[in-house]
Every structure is written in structure tokens, then in C-alpha cells.
Amino acid sequence: MERIIGTRSLGLRAPIIEKGDNLEDIVFEIVKKASENHDITINDKDVVCVTESLVARAQGNYASIEQIAKDINNKFSGDELVVLFPILSRNRFSILLKAIALSGKKLHICLSYPQDEVGNYLMDEMDLFNSNINPYQDVLDIDQFRKIAGEYRHTFTGMDYPALYTELAPNSEIHFLNNPVDSLKFADEVLVCSIHTRNIIKRQLKEAGGKNILSLDEILTEPVDGSGFNKDYGLLGSNLSTEGEVKLFPRDGEDFVANLQKKLVDHFDKKIEVMIYGDGAFKDPVGKIWELADPIVSPAFTKGLGGTPSELKIKYIADNELADLSIEERTSAMVDRISKKEKELVGKNETLGTTPRQITDLLGSLADLTSGSGDKGTPIVLIQGYFDNYSDN
């Protein structure tokens, strides 16, 4: 029978997970029931993706704002602290700001403008363009900012983030700047709150004479008064749980994916891969927001998911090599071409237009889009046929 379906992504419904639940057994049973109840054949190289939130919840990897505040005071000794380049997010950062404010320090919240690191806008770009402000040099206070931006509200959330952040941290001043070194005018201790640019910013600040420069991945790297923690990412990847508590990025993910893989392989007798996924790595073309607010798409995955794809671009080959053939001849020739492709294709013309990204970033983005972020109730995703190509029957 001719094969028509290639890759497919299936969201699997799960019960509500709480601390202490045996998530390995739960996910295994869900995949098993999906296979039995919906007549799904499990194949080699199928991928079971589990959202990071489920793993962290089962681990009980939470921390209170009081515990976070204590770690801030453990690691910063001064009375004033720069909070540099946080993203504009109620879910991701507002709860962390409440915790940092609980430290009792005077905070200097420094926001990048006209947008944050992941594309959330503080102002209309044209208002900035039509002003006499040089965003690469000028440091603005709140009054100068308001003269340009007015009461600008976020496109999707409707929030006025400068107002929200100063309300959450009454012991703060807010500044707008883009050169991180300018933040040292306010204090020589800095908590770098950006996600993907944190390392280069820390280096710039240290070379400019900053006294104590840390980033969010260095806060709560070990338990504080019995809190959760993450030795690799600290507060990065965390989000709001309640008004006084955050859920942290999961830890010890390598053990989870390895143990779950063994259960699946033992039962189905197929080489199944497993990964934990968080935010997908893609950008919204309308809101201009880069989705990836986690430090990494996949904090843990089994060995078969390492590396990048090695694929031919069907369109390029069809246009350049097969244009004069009949449809049957083109199809047959393409199958033959792909079946005989070289293992190493980097730099070859026939790869033009393929996506040069990590396999886990691609799979994680697909899983994130499949599960959604609301009430679908499918935090487990089964991806089939992803590693197949046009020559596979």
C-alpha cells in the first residue's frame, strides 16, 4: 500500500500532575493507552515529548518569593541593586520582581527600549524614530520615556509594563537604556535578567568595573530553606505558580528521559526517543514576540535526538535536475536521489533552504505548538515519522 502520511504530531491528554506523582509510569501508561485505544502503531524513532511543566510539578520544584529574596540577599551585599534587562512578562518576571523587591534593597529596574530581548514592545517604534532620542546612547527616566511613549500598552496583554513593574517594586526606580554598561551609573551590583544574552552582558559589565555581577541562572542553584532549585538554570525557565510562589525549570531531566525510554522500549520493542520540552523556538510575525523565554528548548533528551538534520531540499532538486521529466519519472528519480544521499551534506547546494537547527529545537517547537499553552490538556506529545524521508515506505 502506498504511504501517504509523513510526519504527524499527536497531543496526548494527561491527568493533573502534582508533587510526588510517578510521572514515568503515568506517561508510559498514557502512551500505551493511546496506542491501544486509537489503533496507533508505535514505530522505531517515534518521539515521546513531555512538557517541562509536568516534570517540574512531579518533582515539586517550587520556590516561594521569600526564599528567592533570601538568596538575593545571600548573594548581593549592597543596599542598591540593578535589575538589568528583564523581559516584559507577568507570567515569567512579575513574580520574580516581587521576590527581588522583598530583599529590601533599592532597585534600579533597567529596561531595554523600544522592546525587550524576546520582542515585547514598550513603545511604538515610529514614536521613537520620530523623536530626537538615540537608543544606542540615551538613558531615559520615566518622565522622558512617557513623553515619547505615552501610556503605551502591550499589543496582546494590554499591560503598561513600566507601571506594573514599579507597582510591584515600590522600592524601585525605573530607567530605559540599551548599553548595559550605563546601568553601572546606578549601582555596582547587577542582576542580569536577560535570557539568551546574559553571558555577553555579564562580560561587558565585569570588564567595565562592575563589582558583583550575577544572572538569573545563578540564583536558587541550590535549596534555600527547603526550596526547589535548579543547579544549571537557577531562576531561568521559571514561571508564576501562585502570587507567592514560582515553578522552576525541572532538574535531573536526564534520569527521567532515560528511565521513561527504557519502559517504552521494553514494552513496545521499538527504539523510541524521549525528550522534555519547554518553549518552542519561533517568532510570532504579528506580535513580533520570540516565543523562547526558557533558557533552552529541551533541558533533557535521549541520545538519538542529538545533532542537526541532514536533508536534501526537494524543491531545489526538482527545479534544477528533474524539470524535464514526467511526474512519475520525477517522483521515482527523487526517491532514488534521497535514498542515496550522502551522510555529510553541509555546504552542498542541494541543501539550500533546509532548516539548520538542532533536532531538539525543531521537535520541541512542534511539540509546543501541538500542546498549546492553555486548556488543551495535552502536555504529552507523540511525534511519528519525523526521521523518515521521501524514500521511506
Side-chain angles (χ1 to χ4, degrees):
M1 181 183 297
E2 180 185 7
R3 176 176 174 178
I4 301 299
I5 296 175
T7 299
R8 64 176 181 173
S9 177
L10 304 171
L12 308 184
R13 292 182 174 180
I16 305 303
I17 301 300
E18 297 294 347
K19 179 180 178 180
D21 288 344
N22 189 326
L23 190 60
E24 295 164 14
D25 286 349
I26 291 170
V27 175
F28 167 75
E29 288 297 332
I30 289 170
V31 175
K32 181 171 174 286
K33 287 180 181 179
S35 173
E36 295 169 349
N37 295 356
H38 297 278
D39 196 24
I40 298 170
T41 301
I42 302 298
N43 305 303
D44 286 329
K45 299 299 286 184
D46 283 357
V47 185
V48 174
C49 310
V50 183
T51 183
E52 57 84 18
S53 179
L54 250 60
V55 182
R57 289 176 66 85
Q59 291 174 341
N61 205 21
Y62 293 81
S64 70
I65 56 177
E66 291 81 10
Q67 291 165 333
I68 295 170
K70 184 171 183 178
D71 206 31
I72 292 291
N73 281 324
N74 287 342
K75 292 174 177 174
F76 294 101
S77 59
D79 295 328
E80 298 190 47
L81 177 65
V82 170
V83 178
L84 182 60
F85 296 160
I87 65 171
L88 307 177
S89 173
R90 291 172 297 172
N91 178 44
R92 292 287 187 170
F93 192 73
S94 67
I95 185 71
L96 299 186
L97 183 58
K98 285 177 67 175
I100 297 166
L102 276 181
S103 69
K105 302 178 186 297
K106 179 177 180 179
L107 305 182
H108 295 274
I109 305 170
C110 296
L111 302 179
S112 59
Y113 70 97
Q115 61 186 354
D116 70 7
E117 179 192 18
V118 296
N120 295 291
Y121 276 82
L122 277 168
M123 59 171 65
D124 189 296
E125 285 183 289
M126 286 304 297
D127 288 341
L128 178 60
F129 179 79
N130 290 326
S131 74
N132 61 355
I133 296 298
N134 183 342
Y136 300 102
Q137 295 180 348
D138 293 339
V139 178
L140 309 179
D141 62 25
I142 187 63
D143 293 331
Q144 293 169 316
F145 170 80
R146 291 297 187 195
K147 286 180 181 178
I148 304 167
E151 303 295 326
Y152 182 88
R153 293 182 177 273
H154 190 278
T155 303
F156 290 143
T157 67
M159 298 301 300
D160 179 335
Y161 278 99
L164 174 65
Y165 281 6
T166 49
E167 178 185 341
L168 292 172
N171 50 330
S172 68
E173 293 180 1
I174 195 160
H175 315 276
F176 304 84
L177 55 91
N178 288 310
N179 182 349
V181 173
D182 287 333
S183 69
L184 295 176
K185 299 173 183 176
F186 307 113
D188 57 9
E189 290 192 293
V190 181
L191 177 61
V192 178
C193 298
S194 63
I195 305 162
H196 309 291
T197 60
R198 64 190 186 276
N199 291 325
I200 185 65
I201 289 174
K202 285 165 61 180
R203 181 178 171 184
Q204 290 174 302
L205 293 172
K206 289 175 182 178
E207 291 184 359
K211 176 184 174 184
N212 185 16
I213 313 298
L214 299 175
S215 49
L216 287 176
D217 56 336
E218 296 173 282
I219 308 300
L220 231 61
T221 54
E222 56 186 25
V224 174
D225 294 341
S227 72
F229 68 99
N230 190 304
K231 64 182 179 63
D232 297 313
Y233 299 112
L235 291 177
L236 284 182
S238 65
N239 49 38
L240 185 148
S241 173
T242 68
E243 291 303 312
E245 191 175 49
V246 300
K247 178 192 67 61
L248 302 173
F249 218 41
R251 59 180 187 266
D252 304 323
E254 294 81 3
D255 293 339
F256 172 79
V257 297
N259 293 338
L260 177 56
Q261 181 185 49
K262 185 177 187 307
K263 290 179 181 290
L264 293 167
V265 170
D266 287 349
H267 178 78
F268 290 104
D269 195 27
K270 299 292 181 181
K271 185 169 177 51
I272 301 165
E273 304 293 345
V274 178
M275 66 180 287
I276 300 170
Y277 69 97
D279 279 347
F282 49 83
K283 186 173 182 177
D284 171 13
V286 176
K288 302 179 183 178
I289 299 168
W290 185 26
E291 173 69 11
L292 186 56
D294 286 325
I296 192 170
V297 173
S298 177
F301 51 89
T302 49
K303 293 180 180 178
L305 300 180
T308 59
S310 184
E311 300 175 329
L312 299 177
K313 187 69 172 182
I314 289 179
K315 178 175 70 66
Y316 180 89
I317 295 170
D319 289 347
N320 287 274
E321 300 178 21
L322 311 177
D324 297 328
L325 302 179
S326 69
I327 188 169
E328 293 81 7
E329 291 171 329
R330 291 196 301 271
T331 302
S332 177
M334 187 68 74
V335 168
D336 184 64
R337 185 79 159 75
I338 293 174
S339 67
K340 296 177 180 177
K341 68 181 179 180
E342 301 175 40
K343 289 184 178 180
E344 182 54 65
L345 293 170
V346 174
K348 302 293 180 67
N349 283 345
E350 55 263 45
T351 68
L352 285 171
T354 57
T355 307
R357 291 167 58 189
Q358 296 294 315
I359 290 169
T360 50
D361 291 347
L362 294 162
L363 286 168
S365 298
L366 176 57
D368 188 30
L369 287 166
T370 300
S371 61
S373 58
D375 58 7
K376 293 185 185 302
T378 56
I380 301 161
V381 178
L382 174 64
I383 298 176
Q384 297 191 295
Y386 188 84
F387 293 97
D388 296 346
N389 63 45
Y390 198 54
S391 69
D392 294 319
N393 294 319

